[in-house]
């Protein structure tokens, strides 16, 4: 889906076009956002700002997305990819923003990840993990635009089996799944086995060679860097580790010896 197999991950109120441009020398993808699209999600984001959290608040969030993507016109490379992480409580705003993304060759990522009480109270974020029908409907609505579509999810939610959810989302039209593995890194292997056609981006704690290669060994197609995504040193060493891992796999395949190298 993108090369190199390193992304920077959405951080509320921080991950905008300028942030993506800063990471560009080291990554193949940037996930902007999250962006609250409708009145309930915007009200929740406003409440978060009131208690000191950084959020993107715009009078016209779809126009905001359009402006951000237009500002990133120079970000496009041969395989470089941009997507916008969005929150909403209904499908129509997702359809609208997906059309904007499709026109600009960008993707849409449904946020089923945020766990703040304010967002969960209106039905956004991780509440969607327990409402797989609604999450799948949002994915399907975005896919109508022909934009690439994914979802960002988190592990360690009681009653939520990410492997089966991955299958549901793939059937709904998802192209990728962005998994915050929390402290359950091995869940990446389970998701990869359950939904092999999804491009799997692993997130949480990616800082260096050890953390990046652990996810790749479990079957992730790429890794994403969250909080230190503006740290050039971290991005550089993760990029080097990922490049080395894939180069090692290619060398093993050419020699006919893939022992000890994950597929």
């Amino acid at each position: 889906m993108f090369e190199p197999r390193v992304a920077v991950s959405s951080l509320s109120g921080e991950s905008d076009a300028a942030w993506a441009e800063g990471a560009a020398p080291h990554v193949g993808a940037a996930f902007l956002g999250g962006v609250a699209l409708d009145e309930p999600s915007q009200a929740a984001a406003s409440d978060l700002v009131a208690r000191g959290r950084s959020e993107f608040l715009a009078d016209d969030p779809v126009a905001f997305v359009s402006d951000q993507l237009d500002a990133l016109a120079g970000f496009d490379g041969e395989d470089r990819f941009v997507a916008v992480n969005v929150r909403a409580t209904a499908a129509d705003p997702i359809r609208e923003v997906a059309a904007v993304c499709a026109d600009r060759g960008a993707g849409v990522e449904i946020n089923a990840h945020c766990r703040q009480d304010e967002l969960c109270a209106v039905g956004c974020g991780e509440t969607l993990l327990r409402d797989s029908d609604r999450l799948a409907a949002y994915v399907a609505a975005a896919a109508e635009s022909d934009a690439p579509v994914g979802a960002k999810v988190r592990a360690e939610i009681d009653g939520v089996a990410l492997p089966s959810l991955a299958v549901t989302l793939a059937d709904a039209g998802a192209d990728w799944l962005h998994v915050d593995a929390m402290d359950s890194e091995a869940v990446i292997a389970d998701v990869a086995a359950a939904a092999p056609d999804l491009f799997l981006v692993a997130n949480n704690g990616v800082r260096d060679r050890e953390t990046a290669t652990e996810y790749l060994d479990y079957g992730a197609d790429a890794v994403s860097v969250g909080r230190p995504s503006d740290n050039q040193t971290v991005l550089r060493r993760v990029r080097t580790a990922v490049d080395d891992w894939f180069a090692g796999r290619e060398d093993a395949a050419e020699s006919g010896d893939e022992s000890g190298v994950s597929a």
Side-chain angles (χ1 to χ4, degrees):
M1 198 169 90
F2 55 81
E3 296 284 350
R5 303 289 189 93
V6 180
V8 281
S9 181
S10 57
L11 298 168
S12 296
E14 299 178 32
S15 298
D16 59 7
W19 162 89
E21 289 284 8
H26 309 292
V27 304
F31 295 90
L32 309 185
V35 181
L37 298 180
D38 57 6
E39 289 185 9
S41 59
Q42 284 238 308
S46 295
D47 289 342
L48 289 171
V49 169
R51 66 175 174 88
R53 182 177 166 89
S54 178
E55 290 285 339
F56 293 116
L57 293 176
D59 292 336
D60 185 340
V62 176
F64 172 78
V65 169
S66 175
D67 291 344
Q68 290 295 305
L69 293 177
D70 288 345
L72 271 178
F75 187 79
D76 291 338
E78 183 176 349
D79 295 300
R80 201 170 281 162
F81 179 67
V82 180
V84 183
N85 179 284
V86 298
R87 309 173 184 135
T89 62
D92 283 346
I94 293 172
R95 287 190 182 93
E96 186 177 2
V97 80
V100 167
C101 292
D103 285 346
R104 289 157 177 79
V108 183
E109 182 173 81
I110 310 302
N111 185 314
H113 173 262
C114 286
R115 55 184 172 179
Q116 288 74 26
D117 290 344
E118 293 88 343
L119 291 166
C120 291
V122 298
C124 291
E126 72 175 33
T127 59
L128 290 170
L129 298 177
R130 294 192 178 93
D131 192 350
S132 59
D133 288 345
R134 188 158 60 97
L135 178 54
Y138 289 178
V139 167
E144 293 172 8
S145 69
D146 292 328
V149 180
K152 188 172 185 184
V153 302
R154 69 166 65 246
E156 299 183 359
I157 303 297
D158 289 343
V160 175
L162 287 185
S164 60
L165 179 62
V167 173
T168 297
L169 298 182
D171 289 344
D175 300 293
W176 78 86
L177 194 66
H178 194 168
V179 180
D180 182 341
M182 303 296 287
D183 292 318
S184 300
E185 292 86 356
V187 74
I188 296 298
D190 297 331
V191 173
D197 291 337
L198 285 178
F199 189 89
L200 185 56
V201 183
N203 171 260
N204 196 296
V206 177
R207 301 287 188 275
D208 50 24
R209 182 172 299 272
E210 180 181 3
T211 52
T213 57
E214 180 180 20
Y215 284 129
L216 297 173
D217 286 342
Y218 277 129
D221 295 294
V223 297
S224 74
V225 179
R227 287 294 163 197
S229 56
D230 60 353
N231 186 316
Q232 299 294 308
T233 300
V234 170
L235 293 178
R236 186 179 301 109
R237 67 190 182 208
V238 171
R239 164 74 184 274
T240 299
V242 170
D243 285 352
D244 289 350
W245 191 93
F246 280 101
R249 187 175 70 166
E250 290 173 3
D251 290 345
E254 289 174 1
S255 69
D257 178 13
E258 296 191 39
S259 59
V261 180
S262 298

